[in-house]
Amino acid sequence: MKCPFCGFEDSRVVDSRSVDENSTIRRRRECPECGRRFTTYEKYEETPLVVSKKDGRRELFDDKKLLGGLLKAFEKRPVSYDRIKEIADAIERELRLTGDSEVTSNAIGEKVMQYLEKTDQIAYVRFASVYRQFADVNNFMQEIQKMMKRNEKK
């Protein structure tokens, strides 16, 4: 690693430690030429996750949009922000673990539905009403009946 102070082409590592839940390594380095110390960070590079929309458009995955949708679904429900953030992180982790660089918005929506149904049924129905674009009360009733049947099987 090149010294940022004198430009010498080499440096030695004095100390290394993990930060950010072991996703980054912080290294203290020392230049053998000028003796000054500096810090570098080593982090793995994630490949960008592209979302293909129903209308054919493609956009980069935005974890803030996912979290925002979950917060709307859980609005005024007894679920902590930390739990909602855990769900968002788990969904993103599962999407990335597939190894695909592109995911459909439908796959994201279905994954969200799975987590919501396990966590809070009211939030599930709220999200489903927007995600499945319910046209009337009958659509609500059908979704609730499906959910009740799945609960009976458990």
Side-chain angles (χ1 to χ4, degrees):
M1 173 71 56
K2 186 176 179 179
C3 175
F5 303 108
C6 71
F8 190 69
E9 292 292 325
D10 198 14
S11 63
R12 69 181 188 89
V13 176
V14 178
D15 180 45
S16 289
R17 48 181 80 160
S18 296
V19 292
D20 294 336
E21 298 174 357
N22 293 328
S23 66
T24 305
I25 298 174
R26 177 185 178 271
R27 298 191 194 281
R28 284 295 289 161
R29 295 177 175 271
E30 184 176 62
C31 175
E33 186 70 20
C34 69
R36 295 188 65 187
R37 290 187 175 192
F38 57 98
T39 303
T40 60
Y41 293 90
E42 183 178 317
K43 186 174 185 167
Y44 64 87
E45 186 175 351
E46 290 181 339
T47 56
L49 189 59
V50 176
V51 178
S52 58
K53 306 291 226 163
K54 292 176 187 173
D55 64 4
R57 289 180 301 123
R58 287 178 167 68
E59 62 183 49
L60 288 176
F61 176 80
D62 185 355
D63 59 340
K64 291 172 194 68
K65 283 176 79 172
L66 174 61
L67 183 60
L70 288 169
L71 287 170
K72 277 246 190 274
F74 283 113
E75 195 171 317
K76 297 183 182 177
R77 298 300 301 152
V79 179
S80 71
Y81 176 80
D82 289 339
R83 177 67 184 129
I84 297 168
K85 183 79 171 97
E86 284 173 16
I87 292 169
D89 291 343
I91 291 169
E92 182 177 359
R93 189 170 36 258
E94 285 184 32
L95 294 171
R96 290 189 183 281
L97 283 175
T98 65
D100 296 331
S101 59
E102 190 166 323
V103 64
T104 64
S105 58
N106 187 47
I108 296 170
E110 291 302 320
K111 191 75 64 187
V112 169
M113 296 280 285
Q114 290 171 6
Y115 276 89
L116 290 178
E117 187 173 17
K118 287 186 257 179
T119 308
D120 186 289
Q121 292 180 342
I122 301 299
Y124 170 82
V125 173
R126 278 184 186 162
F127 186 85
S129 70
V130 175
Y131 175 65
R132 297 235 164 96
Q133 299 174 336
F134 291 165
D136 56 31
V137 175
N138 291 330
N139 295 121
F140 265 104
M141 292 305 295
Q142 289 170 352
E143 190 65 38
I144 290 170
Q145 287 168 348
K146 285 182 204 173
M147 188 173 59
M148 289 171 70
K149 284 181 184 174
R150 286 191 296 266
N151 285 342
E152 287 173 7
K153 292 178 184 178
K154 291 180 183 177

